[in-house]
Amino acid sequence: MIKRQTCPVCERELPFEPGKISELFPFCSERCRNVDLYRWAEGKYAIVEEIGPEIAQFLQEETDLGEV
Ligand SMILES: [Zn+2]
């Protein structure tokens, strides 16, 4: 049984062809990859002084998509 891989950020099924690994794997998109990267950084470094408006934008978008 092959279980479809889902994006750990948005939990959508990955759009990639079976057996074809994207450079974005295991994320469905560059956006999700960045969100995860930010989460990781945030957990690792309590104080991050280099958060730019792009990251804030990511988090805001994520909130908008948060409703399941
Ligand atoms: Zn995703």
Side-chain angles (χ1 to χ4, degrees), residues 14-45:
L14 298 183
F16 313 134
E17 296 291 325
K20 187 177 178 184
I21 303 300
S22 164
E23 63 177 6
L24 294 172
F25 186 87
F27 306 105
C28 72
S29 66
E30 187 174 358
R31 179 186 158 281
C32 283
R33 184 175 64 174
N34 286 337
V35 168
D36 186 78
L37 191 67
Y38 174 74
R39 283 177 177 167
W40 180 86
E42 185 184 47
K44 180 113 178 174
Y45 309 105

Side-chain angles (χ1 to χ4, degrees), residues 7 9-12 27-29 32:
C7 174
V9 174
C10 68
E11 298 187 348
R12 291 186 182 125
F27 306 105
C28 72
S29 66
C32 283

